[in-house]
C-alpha cells in the first residue's frame, strides 16, 4: 500500500494502541498535523512543549501505557528537553516525535533547525533521525518497542518535513527484532537460589522497593513476599504506592527525607532485598554507611543499576515481576516461613523506632503545609491520583499522603523538575477522566508551567491544584537556613500573582484559605467543583521538611524536628 | 601493561551518530579514553571500535555494562589479556643528522620498522607493535630530535584457538 510518511505515522500510532497524543504544531510538522486531523486520534493542544512531554509522562505513569507527543523542529524540539530528561531519569516510556527541516537542508543552519538528536542523545533511551521514508515504519516500531520494554525510557524520532509527504509502499511490521537489544526478563535461577538462601538465614530482613516495581507491575508479588516472610518494606520516592501505605509492615520512605524508622531499619538490617531501585544519592546518603551491616540482594532489569553505587551480595538481573514471582514460587515450594519468634524482635524494634520519632508538625495560627495534605488525604479518602511539583511540597506529599496503590503518586524523582506537576496532572486526568487528580504544588514551581491551566480549561480536565504558598522557594530556603547561616540568596518570592484571579483569568475556579479553620472547607469546595480549580493555601513560610539527612551524611545522621 | 588499562573492542552499527553515542557515554559519565580507533569491518554495516581506557574493576564492569546498553553496540569484548593480540602504529618524523643516521637505521631494523620518507634532514619512520614497543622506540629516538609524531590508538583481535599446537 502506497502511503505518505504522515499516513504511516498515524497508522503506526493506531497499531501501537495510541489513542491520545500531546503536542504543539509548527511549520516542520504541519503535514503531520494535516494528517492527524483526518485520523481519529485525540490530540491535546498544550501551551508549551515542555507541558506536552510532562503531560505525556503523567499519562504514561498513571496508565502504564506509552505516552506520545508531537512537536515542531527547532524551538519546539528544544522545549521538550527538560521533559525528556525528566522521563529518562525516572524510566518512563515515551515516544517523542519532533519535526525537522527537510533532509536537503539539514546542516545548513536552516530556519528552525536544531540537532535535536544530538542534544537529546544523553537523555533518551535511544533516538532516531529518519533519513528515508522507507525507514519510517521500522523506526517507529522500534521506538515503541524500545520505549516500553526492558527498563523503559523516552525515545525520540526526528522526522524531516519532506519525509512526512514522501510516499512509499507500506507493509505492516508484525515483529520488531533488534539484534543488539534483548533485555533480560527472566532471572537466573542460580542467582535466585542464592537469594533464597540469604532470605532463609536473615534475622533482620528489609525490603527496599523502587519505581521498577511500579513499572513492571509487581506490587502484588512484592506484597506477597513481604507478607509471607514478614519483611518490613521501605521505598524510594519513586516506589511510593507499590506497597500499601496502610500496611502494618510499611515503614515509610527512606533517604534524605525518609522516616526515622525507615532509615534506622536500613542501618540495622542484616539483609536488604532491593527491588527495582538504583540507589540514588538522595536515598543512600553516604554510601559507606548505607546498610553497611547487611547483605544485599538487588533485583533489577538494568544491569548497569547493579553495583553502580553500592556493592551487592547477590545481583539478580531480571524483570521485577518475573523475579519476584519466581522467588515467591521457590519460597512456597520449599515451605519457607518467617519464624515468628525471631522476627518479633526485629519488628518490635521497628515499632520502637516508629514511636521514638514520628513525622510530626504543630498546627498553630498559620496553616501548616502538612496539615493541608493530611486534610486532602482524608477528604479524598486516600484515593486521589497525586502529582507534585518539586521542593518541600513534594516531600510533604510523599510523607503525609499515604499511597495505597501503584501509579497513584506521580512525581519527578530523578531530575526533580519544577513545573512537572500541573502538566503531569493533565496527562493523568486524560488517562482517567473519572478519577480525582490533584497536583500538590509550591508557589514557585506552579509558575513554571502555569500556562497549562489553559489546556485544562480547554479540554475540561478537572485537575485540582493545591498550592502550598509559603512565599518562597522553600526547599532551597531550607538548605540556606540550615547550612548557609540563613543567607536567603534569592529564594524569597517577593512578588506573586494573585492565584485566585489567575485561575479565574484562565477560566478556572480559584479559592484561597489563609487560616487553619478554612482549610477543610476550601478543600472540600475545591474538590467538589466540576472543572479545574486552583486552591491556594497561605502556609507558614519557615516550615522545614524533617527528618533531613544533610547531603553526603549517613542516613542515620538525621536532623529531627 | 598497566593493570588498570583495558582494551575494549566493540562491534557497532555503522551509522551516523553511533560513534558519538559511544564517546558521549564516556564523557558524560566521566570515564576516560586513552585511545580510540574506528573502522569498518568486512560487513559494511558494522564497524569495529577499539577503546583503551583506565579503570579499576568495578568501574570497568560499569563501563562494559553501559556500553552493552547502547542499542547500537552489537558485541563487546575485553581484549586486555593474552587471549588477544594488540597493536598500534606510529609515524615518527625524526631529525636525521649525518652522525645519527646509522643509529636511526639500526633502531629501525631492531624494531622492525620502516623508513617511508627521506627528506634532506629528516626520516619519517613507520613503526607498529604493542604499546610498550612504541614507547620504547620513541624513547630511543627522542634524543635525536623528533619533529612530529602521529600515533594511532590500539587495535585488537581475539586469538583463535591453537588446537594441537
Ligand atoms: C526547574 C528547576 N529549577 C530549580 C530547581 C531547584 N529547586 C528545587 S526545590 C526549589 C524550590 C521550589 O519552590 P516551590 O515550588 O515554592 O516549592 P517549596 O519548596 O516552597 O514547597 C528549587 C528552586 C528545580 N528543582 N527545578
Ligand atoms: Mg514555595
Amino acid at each position: 500500500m502506497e502511503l505518505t510518511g504522515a499516513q504511516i505515522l498515524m497508522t503506526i500510532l493506531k497499531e501501537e494502541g495510541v489513542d491520545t497524543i500531546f503536542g504543539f504544531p509548527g511549520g516542520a510538522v504541519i503535514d503531520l498535523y494535516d494528517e492527524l486531523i483526518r485520523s481519529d486520534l485525540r490530540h491535546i493542544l498544550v501551551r508549551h512543549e515542555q507541558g506536552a512531554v510532562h503531560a505525556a509522562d503523567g499519562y504514561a505513569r498513571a496508565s502504564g501505557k506509552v505516552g506520545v507527543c508531537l512537536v515542531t523542529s527547532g524551538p519546539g524540539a528544544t522545549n521538550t528537553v527538560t521533559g525528556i530528561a525528566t522521563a529518562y531519569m525516572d524510566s518512563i516510556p515515551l515516544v517523542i516525535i519532533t519535526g525537522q527541516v527537510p533532509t536537503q537542508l539539514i546542516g545548513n543552519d536552516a530556519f528552525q533547525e536544531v540537532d535535536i538528536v544530538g542534544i537529546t542523545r544523553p537523555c533518551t533511551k535511544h533516538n532516531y533521525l529518519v533519513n528515508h521514508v522507507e525507514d519510517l515504519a521500522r523506526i517507529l516500531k522500534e521506538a515503541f518497542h524500545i520505549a516500553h520494554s526492558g527498563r523503559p525510557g523516552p525515545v525520540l524520532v526526528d522526522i524531516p518535513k519532506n519525509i512526512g509527504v514522501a510516499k512509499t509502499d507500506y507493509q505492516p511490521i508484525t515483529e520488531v527484532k533488534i539484534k543488539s537489544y534483548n533485555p533480560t526478563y527472566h532471572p537466573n535461577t542460580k542467582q535466585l537460589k542464592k537469594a533464597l538462601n540469604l532470605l532463609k538465614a536473615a534475622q533482620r530482613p528489609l525490603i527496599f522497593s523502587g519505581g521498577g516495581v511500579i513499572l513492571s507491575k509487581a506490587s502484588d508479588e512484592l506484597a506477597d513476599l513481604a507478607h509471607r516472610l514478614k519483611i518490613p518494606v521501605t521505598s524510594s520516592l519513586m516506589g511510593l504506592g507499590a506497597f500499601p501505605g496502610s500496611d502494618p509492615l510499611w515503614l515509610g520512605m527512606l533517604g534524605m527525607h525518609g522516616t526515622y524508622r525507615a532509615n534506622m531499619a536500613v542501618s540495622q538490617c542484616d539483609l536488604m532485598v532491593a527491588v527495582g531501585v538504583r540507589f540514588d544519592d538522595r536515598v543512600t546518603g553516604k554510601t559507606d554507611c548505607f546498610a553497611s551491616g547487611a547483605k544485599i540482594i538487588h533485583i533489577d532489569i538494568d544491569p548497569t543499576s547493579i553495583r553502580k553505587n553500592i556493592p551487592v551480595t547477590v545481583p539478580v538481573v531480571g524483570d521485577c515481576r518475573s523475579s519476584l514471582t519466581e522467588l515467591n514460587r521457590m519460597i512456597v515450594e520449599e515451605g519457607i516461613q518467617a519464624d515468628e519468634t525471631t522476627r518479633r524482635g526485629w519488628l518490635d524494634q521497628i515499632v520502637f523506632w516508629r514511636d521514638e520519632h514520628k513525622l510530626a508538625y504543630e498546627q498553630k495560627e498559620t496553616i501548616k503545609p502538612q496539615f493541608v495534605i493530611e486534610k486532602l488525604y482524608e477528604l479524598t479518602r486516600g484515593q486521589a491520583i497525586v502529582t507534585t511539583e518539586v521542593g518541600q511540597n513534594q516531600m510533604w506529599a510523599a510523607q503525609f499522603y499515604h499511597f495505597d496503590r501503584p501509579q497513584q503518586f506521580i512525581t519527578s524523582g530523578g531530575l526533580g523538575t519544577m513545573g512537572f506537576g500541573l502538566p503531569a496532572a493533565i496527562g493523568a486526568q486524560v488517562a482517567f477522566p473519572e478519577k480525582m487528580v490533584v497536583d500538590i504544588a509550591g508557589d514557585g514551581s506552579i509558575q513554571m508551567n502555569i500556562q497549562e491551566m489553559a489546556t485544562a480549561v480547554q479540554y475540561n480536565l478537572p485537575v485540582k491544584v493545591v498550592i502550598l504558598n509559603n512565599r518562597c522557594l522553600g526547599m532551597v530556603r531550607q538548605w540556606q537556613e540550615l547550612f548557609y547561616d540563613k543567607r536567603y540568596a534569592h529564594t524569597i518570592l517577593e512578588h506573586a500573582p494573585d492565584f485566585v484571579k489567575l485561575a479565574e483569568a484562565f477560566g478556572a475556579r480559584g479559592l484561597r484559605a489563609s487560616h487553619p479553620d478554612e482549610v477543610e472547607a476550601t478543600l472540600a469546595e475545591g474538590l467538589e467543583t466540576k472543572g479545574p480549580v486552583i486552591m491556594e493555601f497561605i502556609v507558614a513560610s519557615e516550615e522545614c521538611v524533617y527528618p533531613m539527612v544533610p547531603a553526603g551524611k549517613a542516613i542515620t545522621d538525621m536532623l529531627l524536628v | 601493561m598497566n593493570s588498570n588499562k583495558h582494551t575494549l573492542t566493540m562491534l557497532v552499527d555503522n551509522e551516523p551518530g553511533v560513534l558519538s553515542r559511544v564517546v558521549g557515554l564516556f564523557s558524560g559519565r566521566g570515564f576516560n579514553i586513552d585511545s580510540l580507533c574506528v573502522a569498518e569491518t568486512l560487513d559494511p554495516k558494522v564497524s569495529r571500535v577499539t577503546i583503551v581506557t583506565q579503570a579499576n574493576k568495578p568501574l570497568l564492569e560499569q563501563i562494559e555494562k553501559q556500553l552493552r546498553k547502547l542499542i547500537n553496540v552489537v558485541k563487546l569484548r575485553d581484549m586486555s589479556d593474552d587471549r588477544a593480540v594488540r597493536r598500534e602504529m606510529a609515524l615518527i618524523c625524526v631529525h636525521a643528522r649525518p652522525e645519527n643516521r646509522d643509529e636511526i637505521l639500526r633502531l629501525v631494523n631492531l624494531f622492525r620498522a620502516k623508513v617511508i620518507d627521506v627528506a634532506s634532514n629528516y626520516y619519517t619512520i613507520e613503526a607498529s607493535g604493542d604499546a610498550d614497543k612504541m614507547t620504547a622506540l620513541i624513547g630511543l629516538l627522542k634524543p635525536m630530535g623528533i619533529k612530529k609524531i602521529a600515533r594511532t590508538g590500539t587495535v585488537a583481535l581475539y586469538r583463535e584457538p591453537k588446537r594441537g599446537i
Side-chain angles (χ1 to χ4, degrees), chain A residues 458-474:
Chain A
Q458 177 176 338
Y459 295 93
N460 193 25
L461 298 164
V463 295
K464 311 292 183 253
V465 180
V466 169
I467 301 180
L468 303 173
N469 187 351
N470 53 9
R471 278 91 58 216
C472 60
L473 302 172

Side-chain angles (χ1 to χ4, degrees), chain A residues 432-496:
Chain A
F432 294 102
E434 306 302 323
K435 287 200 175 152
M436 176 68 74
V437 180
V438 182
D439 172 28
I440 296 180
D443 50 318
S445 305
I446 195 65
Q447 295 184 59
M448 287 208 170
N449 274 318
I450 190 77
Q451 77 286 347
E452 299 309 331
M453 277 309 287
T455 311
V457 172
Q458 177 176 338
Y459 295 93
N460 193 25
L461 298 164
V463 295
K464 311 292 183 253
V465 180
V466 169
I467 301 180
L468 303 173
N469 187 351
N470 53 9
R471 278 91 58 216
C472 60
L473 302 172
M475 185 55 93
V476 185
R477 198 210 68 92
Q478 169 167 349
W479 283 51
Q480 291 167 336
E481 175 183 332
L482 298 173
F483 314 117
Y484 292 84
D485 286 333
K486 307 198 176 178
R487 288 188 301 278
Y488 298 125
H490 301 283
T491 46
I492 311 303
L493 296 169
E494 280 160 21
H495 178 78

Side-chain angles (χ1 to χ4, degrees), chain A residues 355-420:
Chain A
D355 296 339
E356 208 174 4
H357 287 288
K358 293 193 169 170
L359 292 175
Y361 65 93
E362 244 183 290
Q363 181 53 67
K364 295 193 209 144
E365 314 78 66
T366 45
I367 303 172
K368 287 294 172 78
Q370 302 95 325
F371 176 67
V372 177
I373 294 172
E374 278 193 339
K375 284 292 156 203
L376 177 68
Y377 176 71
E378 281 170 33
L379 289 172
T380 53
R381 274 167 270 106
Q383 292 303 305
I385 295 176
V386 173
T387 70
T388 75
E389 301 295 338
V390 169
Q392 294 180 318
N393 57 84
Q394 178 185 34
M395 292 300 120
W396 284 318
Q399 291 179 335
F400 289 91
Y401 200 105
H402 310 288
F403 300 95
D404 272 340
R405 33 172 207 91
Q407 302 175 327
Q408 189 190 357
F409 183 53
I410 296 177
T411 195
S412 166
L415 199 68
T417 307
M418 289 171 68
F420 172 78

